[in-house]
Amino acid sequence: MIEIVFLGSGGSIPTEKRNHPAIAIRYEGWVLLFDAGEDVQRQYEKAQLGLNKKMAIFVTHVHADHVLGLPGLLLRFSLLGRTKPLNIYGPKELIEYVKVSQSTINLGTTFETTVHAIGPGEIFHHQDLSVRAFEVDHRGYALGYEIIWTRTTGKFLPSKAKELGVPQGPLWKALASGESVELEDGTRISSKDVTEPSPNPLKIVYSGDTRPCDELKKAASGANILICEAMYTSEHADLAEERGHSTAAAAANLAKESDVKLLVLTHYSPRYYDGEDVIGEAIPVFSNSVLACDFMRIHLSKDGSAVIMSPIDH
Ligand SMILES: [Zn+2]
Ligand SMILES: [Zn+2]
């Protein structure tokens, strides 16, 4: 299972209930953190994501609301004695930002920190999970991220297993999880013989800050979950265009056209208070839309089902 934890769902100015942008994805002992808005360290702690986890940080762009929390997070990890190395990926300006933070505010870390200047393409891989960056249309260089979860084994077919003389039990389990087995008479049975073809990979897409654009549309095509910024409602479509953002309606349209299964709207302006206007605009266009809030979690299972847990559910 993959767990998505929203650590910050606000845009530009944090409010009492909504922190600056930061989204954590947990998978197989890893924490992948997307953006690190101001005070992400306390959100990270409240969400109990763990100090010494295998971790990578992916920054969409170097606007302040997405990176102000990075030095604080590194400081916290150091004061608490983190030892595992930490890789940070993002636009090239990030290297200078971290370097200056380290040299001017005495931010030495107890662990190895490496900042990688990246462009579009695959940048991270662990087992069957990979992260790909794509360029979006904001102000200055900005990236979105696609998290791809490959599924190597299709649905197990018991009738086929019986037909081939495989006895029910541990051998079925092994075949269902993609292994080959050997029967007592020496016959080798491959997982492919008793499973459906591998289904398409699962996909989570994070837009970062962007106007609706072709690259985002391409990445979002068929996505299980699209986490898209919705800084404005259509009333302020002119501001969205001018400042390189998306409206809720535009995000919903993009989700509809890209055949997305679930749209999560985030990074909305504090002018919308509780975000009712934002989600109210999206749902008539794309009914499977939800509004992110801080500490909301989404569980994505390998069969593609997604369960949304509000902060009070856990
Ligand atoms: Zn922003
Ligand atoms: Zn921005």
Side-chain angles (χ1 to χ4, degrees), residues 7-313:
L7 299 180
S9 56
S12 66
I13 301 173
T15 63
E16 190 193 339
K17 297 257 173 66
R18 288 183 287 116
N19 218 65
H20 266 166
I23 300 164
I25 289 190
R26 301 168 86 187
Y27 178 68
E28 298 273 326
W30 276 83
V31 176
L32 308 181
L33 181 68
F34 294 84
D35 284 331
E38 187 176 350
D39 212 14
V40 65
Q41 60 166 310
R42 291 209 303 160
Q43 302 292 93
Y44 187 96
E45 174 68 25
K46 277 189 203 163
Q48 300 184 321
L49 297 180
L51 163 73
N52 211 16
K53 293 285 177 189
K54 287 178 274 181
M55 189 174 184
I57 300 179
F58 305 86
V59 171
T60 56
H61 63 303
V62 289
H63 281 168
D65 55 336
H66 296 252
V67 293
L68 281 176
L70 193 52
L73 190 64
L74 299 183
L75 175 66
R76 181 181 203 96
F77 283 165
S78 293
L79 293 175
L80 296 176
R82 180 185 169 91
T83 53
K84 286 208 171 73
L86 180 61
N87 288 292
I88 306 172
Y89 305 89
K92 63 179 190 314
E93 293 80 3
L94 204 57
I95 295 176
E96 190 66 12
Y97 174 61
V98 173
K99 210 197 297 173
V100 168
S101 300
Q102 287 175 324
S103 61
T104 57
I105 55 173
N106 197 24
L107 183 64
T109 52
T110 54
F111 49 93
E112 195 186 323
T113 307
T114 315
V115 187
H116 306 264
I118 57 153
E122 184 177 306
I123 45 172
F124 175 88
H125 196 96
H126 171 67
Q127 290 176 2
D128 46 6
L129 197 82
S130 59
V131 178
R132 190 183 75 86
F134 57 94
E135 197 174 342
V136 292
D137 178 18
H138 187 43
R139 305 190 315 274
Y141 190 65
L143 298 164
Y145 289 103
E146 192 179 341
I147 299 101
I148 301 155
W149 193 14
T150 308
R151 294 185 285 182
T152 46
T153 311
K155 198 175 158 213
F156 180 66
L157 301 166
S159 57
K160 286 257 182 193
K162 275 184 200 158
E163 215 175 276
L164 294 170
V166 186
Q168 194 169 350
L171 294 184
W172 280 26
K173 207 174 164 197
L175 287 165
S177 62
E179 292 169 33
S180 295
V181 301
E182 193 172 310
L183 303 185
E184 274 182 10
D185 65 1
T187 315
R188 281 202 74 76
I189 309 283
S190 149
S191 176
K192 284 195 180 69
D193 300 333
V194 293
T195 52
E196 286 182 352
S198 303
N200 291 334
L202 299 172
K203 208 158 67 162
I204 301 165
V205 174
Y206 173 42
S207 69
D209 286 8
T210 183
R211 298 178 183 95
C213 62
D214 286 347
E215 285 303 312
L216 176 59
K217 214 166 147 181
K218 219 190 297 169
S221 176
N224 297 76
I225 301 171
L226 168 62
I227 303 165
C228 192
E229 72 122 304
M231 184 66 163
Y232 300 104
T233 59
S234 296
E235 189 193 350
H236 296 107
D238 52 340
L239 285 182
E241 176 56 31
E242 186 188 319
R243 298 177 184 173
H245 285 290
S246 181
T247 64
N253 262 314
L254 192 142
K256 193 165 121 185
E257 285 168 14
S258 307
D259 198 22
V260 163
K261 300 203 174 39
L262 173 68
L263 170 66
V264 185
L265 298 174
T266 191
H267 192 289
Y268 49 97
S269 161
R271 78 179 68 210
Y272 300 115
Y273 183 59
D274 59 5
E276 281 303 310
D277 292 350
V278 176
I279 191 67
E281 180 171 289
I283 283 178
V285 181
F286 185 75
S287 59
N288 216 4
S289 302
V290 293
L291 193 66
C293 64
D294 289 15
F295 302 114
M296 181 175 104
R297 293 176 190 240
I298 300 177
H299 290 175
L300 178 65
S301 300
K302 203 121 202 193
D303 64 4
S305 59
V307 179
I308 302 167
M309 300 162 82
S310 79
I312 48 168
D313 288 342

